[in-house]
Amino acid sequence: MSNDPAPLLVVRDLKTYFFLDEGTVRAVDGVDFAVHPGQVVGIVGESGCGKSVTVKSVMRLVQRPGRLVAGTIRFRPSSQSAQRWPLAPDGTLDLAALDPQGPIMRAIRGGEIALIPQEPMAAFSPVHTIGNQIVEAIRLHQDVDRQTAWEWGVERLAEVGIPSPAQRMRAYSWELSGGLRQRAMIAMALACGPRLLIADEPTTAIDVTTQAQILTLLRALQEQHNMAIIFITHDLGVIAQIADHVVVMYLGRVMEAGPVEEIFLRPQHPYTRALLRSIPSIHTPSRTLLPTIQGSIPHPFNRPAGCPFHPRCGDFVPGLCDRNTPEPVPVSPTQTVSCHLYTGELHGEPIPDRSSPA
Amino acid sequence: MANPSQTAPPLLEVQHLCKYFPVRAGLLRRQVGEIRAVDDVSFAVYPGETLGLVGESGCGKTTTARCILRALAPTSGAILFRTQEGTVVDLAPLSEAELRPLRREMQMIFQDPFASLNPRMTLFDIVGEPLLVLGRMRDRQQRMDRVAELLEMVGLRPEYMRRYPHAFSGGQRQRIVIARALALNPRLVVADEPVSALDVSVQAQVLNLMLRLQQELGLTYIFVAHDLSVVKHFCDRVAVMYVGKLVELAPTRSLFFQPRHPYTAALMAAVPVPDPRLRGKMQPLEGEVPSPANPPSGCYFHPRCPHAVEICSQEPPRLQEIAPGHFVSCHRAQELELVGVDAAEVPGHEG
Amino acid sequence: MSTPDPAPAHRPPTPRTSSTLPQEAEAFYVAPNWKLVWWRFKRHRLALVSAVLLGFIALVALVPDFFSTQDPHASSKTESFIPVQRLHLFDQGRFRPFVYGVVGQRNPRTLRMEWVIDPEVKIPVRFFARGYEYKILGLIPFDRHLIGVEFPGDEGKIHLLGTDRLGRDQWSRLMHGTQVSLSIGLVAVFLSIFLGILMGGISGYYGGVVDLVIQRLIEILQSLPPIPIWMALTAAMPRDWSVEQVYFAITVILSLIGWTTLGREVRGRFLSLREEDFVVAARLSGCSEMRIIFRHMLPAFMSHIIAASTLAIPVMIINETFLSFLGLGLRPPAISWGVLLQEAQNLQSIALAPWLLLPGLAVIVTVLALNILGDGLRDAADPYR
């Protein structure tokens, strides 16, 4: 799947900065990744890594004082929409060059790229029924009458596993339980048959047992519709369960990217390796000291120079890591790492054996 | 880690603890119902051990923890605490004034280190407050020495005591919270989700610190968490709660490898494991956690339970000891064959 | 803002951006609450300007006589409705402030006095000039004024804002009005803060029936239409009360009605703070209720109270002005902004002497400045996001 010749979305050198009184926060600072049709790309990272801002930038939802300052976001719209839009010769559209409030971007948002927000309570209006909101969403993007849109809405609710969907269409969001509300949110995101679904920490606010349901549902829907999903989370367990391709971010930069098996079983970047070692799993021995990553994530105003991870890195090379920012280097046909251990700048020293983790 | 000796008398014994919150409505705030946040919960905690309290939202684990420390007044039940002198005191009916001398023996670590430190006080004032108020340590220099010692113990520099909490990251703040909790050498520390608000890369630091301090100071922990992996790693025994009730209590190994309650098994099956080879093993449970204001009849878990039979919807099960130290509250505990974490199929994660 | 030092001893120190030197960072780490509030407030330029402006206005309110040019009560039948005299700073290219004299001529048709500028007469203006005697803060006798004429006399008066119907100097009256209006606003707000904290605190602390009663009382007070209440209360004031008594009564009336909003705010903060983890932690540390309230809870909402009261002062000022304008508040010979504006009540006098509306400008400027300052304080009040 991931070797599909025509990617759905290609983000190159994306930079989104926030211009605050205290200084500039480089929330996203040169991020590259691609999403292929039918692929689940997981973006994983801790607080301040820029994962949310990255997808907000893709959807062009970044608000002042934030601004997209550089980069391209090449998106391949569906064939029927493509006829109406001025595409590049390769059939893509650079979202970064579009007016965020313009008609094309508005048509893409919700129509071609849909978002499942973290907090479903805040995403639904409490004064309109769920049905009315779904119908409105459908009719914004499709030229159908109310009756048809309503029927589609009922179908969508049934599809996401909401019992008695026709009745639920008339319910208000606050009448539903947390899990059902999250399902309704997914139904609404699916309403217009988007090609790309962005899920921004969709399971962070819900319980483990409900989370398992939602993850299973998302996987099933993705296979049925052959949709692509960008799944954002800080939970490595969730990423391992849902993603095909993983992008590991730290302080606005991609540290490592590759297929889920390679990231989890053969991690190459010191950050990924340390992170995976430091989390207690149900399978690690009990009551032993865990290997830790020293220090804490720097405040965004105080970004370290060079590689952002170097002050906490066990493989820190003085004079190199704190000066030069490493660029992504391929370490296998599918996996890239941004680390000086692999950039070839480390002359004279043998590259440590990275074939087995830990 | 020394195994906690369960032959010693328990440090804390919770008996039939209940905490009901009234539901009020109308102009005169008349009580129209109640939420049974904690409903007839009993367990014991032995000196030197770590007891985990696990469950999903609304299961009453935090309320139980706060009742034990009497940050909340329980509705009924007894909280028997064995003091330093060896006398057993029931904390439940005590007034705030009567509790004050006992407070030095039990302390709390909070979930959100951004909310649990007063932003207007320096580290010295924060960590030194229990020393001043409960410890009657009036001498400033003496207090400074002790605060410095405490800060060093949790891995912070003593010079930091002039700073305010806003100078620190989440993980460092949690260390400050721990330092404050340990100021008066407590014997029981209740940790309410101490790492769930922290970044993944910092969680291990705090867990290691708590483990080290337990070994050095002989602390007893009650560890409230929703993350089963952390609980498995950190606890000697685990109590699982569901909608205000205790459903299973067992030593960590037996709970994880041989769960006897269907909810425990379902909870473990729902945990996403950070290993792509174990994909598709996740078995989601049907339905959702019911509201404690309006729980189902009989066993609260029966509408979601794959093993439910007729009696489950009619009669609430009682907590019974089905193996030494293994308590379950399920009608079918004896007959069910449940799957926990299967040690055999776990691929060596560390390669 | 910057990050705490993450580097353990055996690591090379974290490189820092040039804007956050270690010393500056340490100053930030050890900065108490008021300093953080000040740093945040400083960034709000407009609020800073407002604060400076209000400082000047407060100075005027403190020693209005120093800023006056004439006795505000001195009237002269022959000098009514003199228009604004423009202050010229330069005379033939040299700094020598003066005003042109005015000559009154009766219009033969309308029989009104009309004042025309006499370019022949230049009345020199001096700073720190000697004038009528007064006492600073009612204590120290003094006779200097910020501006005045060199030779006080019939010819040499200046009226920077013209005169009113009775020939009283509008500028001097505005200065004295500032004192009265501002102090009423300030005192009324202090009284309502006191009432608000007391009632809100009792309500939030005891809860239960007490809370219920106080909350219903607030609702009743807030549902009363203010104008009839004011009318009733002022009507109840004896006519023969002195200016001081009326002044005091107005203040009390304003604050009796004005405390409710603050009371609600205090109660709300109190209730939410009780549940805060750091307050629970203080209780678990064995703190007494008094220590919890005064050490942990009160400081946490003090800055909000200050911001809220700054926003309440302009409301009080407007209310006083409004009452006096309607003739329900202060009455002449007392001078307040409302009393001054009362002079401009009828259309005829506005047409004849539009400068009588100028005190309205003072009200607008002061109220705006207070609102902007209050906004700035409110934004800065909680520096811990």
Side-chain angles (χ1 to χ4, degrees), chain B residues 153-286:
Chain B
M153 196 160 83
V154 298
L156 293 172
R157 293 201 213 141
E159 305 93 270
Y160 289 171
M161 73 168 82
R162 284 177 53 238
R163 294 184 177 180
Y164 286 82
H166 64 251
F168 299 95
S169 65
Q172 288 169 311
R173 282 172 188 236
Q174 203 58 299
R175 289 172 192 266
I176 302 167
V177 174
I178 293 173
R180 171 179 62 193
L182 298 182
L184 291 166
N185 295 316
R187 296 194 300 145
L188 175 68
V189 174
V190 176
D192 184 6
E193 306 247 13
V195 296
S196 57
L198 303 180
D199 273 312
V200 183
S201 69
V202 187
Q203 288 187 0
Q205 294 174 6
V206 173
L207 287 176
N208 285 356
L209 173 69
M210 286 180 66
L211 213 54
R212 208 193 73 220
L213 290 170
Q214 181 172 39
Q215 285 162 349
E216 282 170 14
L217 306 171
L219 298 170
T220 306
Y221 286 137
I222 294 180
F223 189 91
V224 179
H226 70 273
D227 186 334
L228 283 179
S229 325
V230 173
V231 166
K232 159 117 190 327
H233 177 79
F234 198 76
C235 301
D236 299 303
R237 290 190 308 138
V238 180
V240 182
M241 290 183 72
Y242 188 73
V243 200
K245 294 220 179 250
L246 192 65
V247 296
E248 188 163 4
L249 168 64
T252 307
R253 273 195 76 81
S254 29
L255 187 96
F256 277 83
F257 292 113
Q258 292 146 344
R260 304 302 287 267
H261 196 287
Y263 176 64
T264 314
L267 204 56
M268 283 186 290
V271 174
V273 186
D275 189 329
R277 285 169 298 180
L278 297 179
R279 257 196 190 189
K281 299 270 179 206
M282 243 172 18
Q283 287 155 3
L285 205 55
E286 294 286 305

Side-chain angles (χ1 to χ4, degrees), chain A residues 46-47 177-180 207-213 215-216 219 234 236-244 260-261 264-265 275 277-297 312 357-358, chain B residues 1 50 56-57 169 172 199-202 204-205 207-208 211 214 226 228-230 232-236 252 256 263 266-268 270-280 282 284-289 304 341-342 346 349-350:
Chain A
E46 302 176 90
S47 65
S177 66
L180 285 188
D207 284 319
V208 193
T209 51
T210 320
Q211 166 176 288
Q213 296 168 6
L215 292 181
T216 315
R219 267 259 70 128
H234 64 276
L236 288 161
V238 171
I239 277 289
Q241 294 300 315
I242 193 152
D244 302 314
V260 66
E261 294 82 12
F264 278 87
L265 304 177
L275 200 61
R277 251 180 289 143
S278 75
I279 50 167
S281 128
I282 259 183
H283 305 294
T284 54
S286 296
R287 301 192 64 77
T288 48
L289 293 184
L290 293 162
T292 60
I293 305 179
Q294 59 182 347
S296 42
I297 300 169
R312 306 178 68 191
Chain B
M1 183 69 226
T50 303
E56 298 180 274
S57 63
S169 65
Q172 288 169 311
D199 273 312
V200 183
S201 69
V202 187
Q205 294 174 6
L207 287 176
N208 285 356
L211 213 54
Q214 181 172 39
H226 70 273
L228 283 179
S229 325
V230 173
K232 159 117 190 327
H233 177 79
F234 198 76
C235 301
D236 299 303
T252 307
F256 277 83
Y263 176 64
L267 204 56
M268 283 186 290
V271 174
V273 186
D275 189 329
R277 285 169 298 180
L278 297 179
R279 257 196 190 189
M282 243 172 18
L285 205 55
E286 294 286 305
E288 283 181 71
V289 182
R304 306 176 72 189
V341 180
D342 194 347
V346 177
H349 182 68
E350 299 290 306

Side-chain angles (χ1 to χ4, degrees), chain B residues 99-119:
Chain B
L99 280 166
R100 204 158 288 144
L102 294 163
R103 292 239 178 263
R104 46 187 318 165
E105 299 201 35
M106 44 188 183
Q107 278 298 324
M108 180 155 180
I109 300 171
F110 296 82
Q111 173 174 10
D112 181 359
F114 289 84
S116 58
L117 297 173
N118 187 343

Side-chain angles (χ1 to χ4, degrees), chain A residues 48-297:
Chain A
C49 76
K51 53 190 190 293
S52 262
V53 179
T54 302
V55 292
K56 281 212 180 86
S57 306
V58 170
M59 293 204 77
R60 302 303 311 278
L61 288 172
V62 175
Q63 309 241 323
R64 270 162 58 96
R67 209 171 73 224
L68 204 154
V69 293
T72 58
I73 303 163
R74 299 221 141 266
F75 176 69
R76 186 181 302 277
S78 61
S79 47
Q80 78 219 54
S81 317
Q83 293 161 3
R84 289 173 283 138
W85 295 334
L87 303 185
D90 62 346
T92 63
L93 196 61
D94 184 7
L95 304 188
L98 293 176
D99 173 10
Q101 314 305 337
I104 301 183
M105 207 54 233
R106 285 210 311 271
I108 288 178
R109 245 182 258 133
E112 299 270 328
I113 307 178
L115 180 78
I116 307 174
Q118 180 171 355
E119 194 33 84
M121 192 65 187
F124 274 118
S125 158
V127 296
H128 298 287
T129 60
I130 296 217
N132 280 338
Q133 293 179 63
I134 294 181
V135 165
E136 192 196 3
I138 293 176
R139 298 190 61 199
L140 264 177
H141 296 281
Q142 315 261 343
D143 189 19
V144 291
D145 60 29
R146 257 196 83 79
Q147 188 55 39
T148 321
W150 187 272
E151 281 157 19
W152 287 8
V154 176
E155 275 170 43
R156 290 300 183 218
L157 287 190
E159 195 180 1
V160 297
I162 292 181
S164 46
Q167 276 142 296
R168 299 290 184 206
M169 285 287 275
R170 288 192 184 81
Y172 292 92
S173 64
W174 40 267
E175 293 175 313
L176 302 184
S177 66
L180 285 188
R181 216 182 288 138
Q182 189 62 277
R183 283 170 191 266
M185 197 68 242
I186 294 172
M188 184 147 140
L190 293 178
C192 299
R195 310 191 74 202
L196 175 63
L197 189 64
I198 295 179
D200 187 359
E201 304 239 14
T203 59
T204 308
I206 54 185
D207 284 319
V208 193
T209 51
T210 320
Q211 166 176 288
Q213 296 168 6
I214 298 288
L215 292 181
T216 315
L217 172 70
L218 276 177
R219 267 259 70 128
L221 289 170
Q222 182 266 326
E223 273 160 31
Q224 264 169 40
H225 296 264
N226 196 29
M227 217 173 20
I229 298 180
I230 299 179
F231 196 102
I232 299 179
T233 181
H234 64 276
D235 187 327
L236 288 161
V238 171
I239 277 289
Q241 294 300 315
I242 193 152
D244 302 314
H245 190 84
V246 179
V247 177
V248 183
M249 288 184 69
Y250 185 80
L251 279 182
R253 285 191 66 86
V254 174
M255 297 282 107
E256 182 165 8
V260 66
E261 294 82 12
E262 296 193 4
I263 295 294
F264 278 87
L265 304 177
R266 288 178 296 282
Q268 303 292 300
H269 197 285
Y271 172 62
T272 323
R273 297 157 69 90
L275 200 61
L276 281 171
R277 251 180 289 143
S278 75
I279 50 167
S281 128
I282 259 183
H283 305 294
T284 54
S286 296
R287 301 192 64 77
T288 48
L289 293 184
L290 293 162
T292 60
I293 305 179
Q294 59 182 347
S296 42
I297 300 169

Side-chain angles (χ1 to χ4, degrees), chain C residues 48-61:
Chain C
L48 214 56
V49 172
S50 299
V52 173
L53 185 67
L54 286 168
F56 274 114
I57 295 174
L59 213 60
V60 169

Side-chain angles (χ1 to χ4, degrees), chain C residues 364-381:
Chain C
I364 293 173
V365 167
T366 311
V367 167
L368 259 181
L370 277 165
N371 274 325
I372 293 170
L373 176 73
D375 270 345
L377 283 175
R378 193 179 48 196
D379 291 348

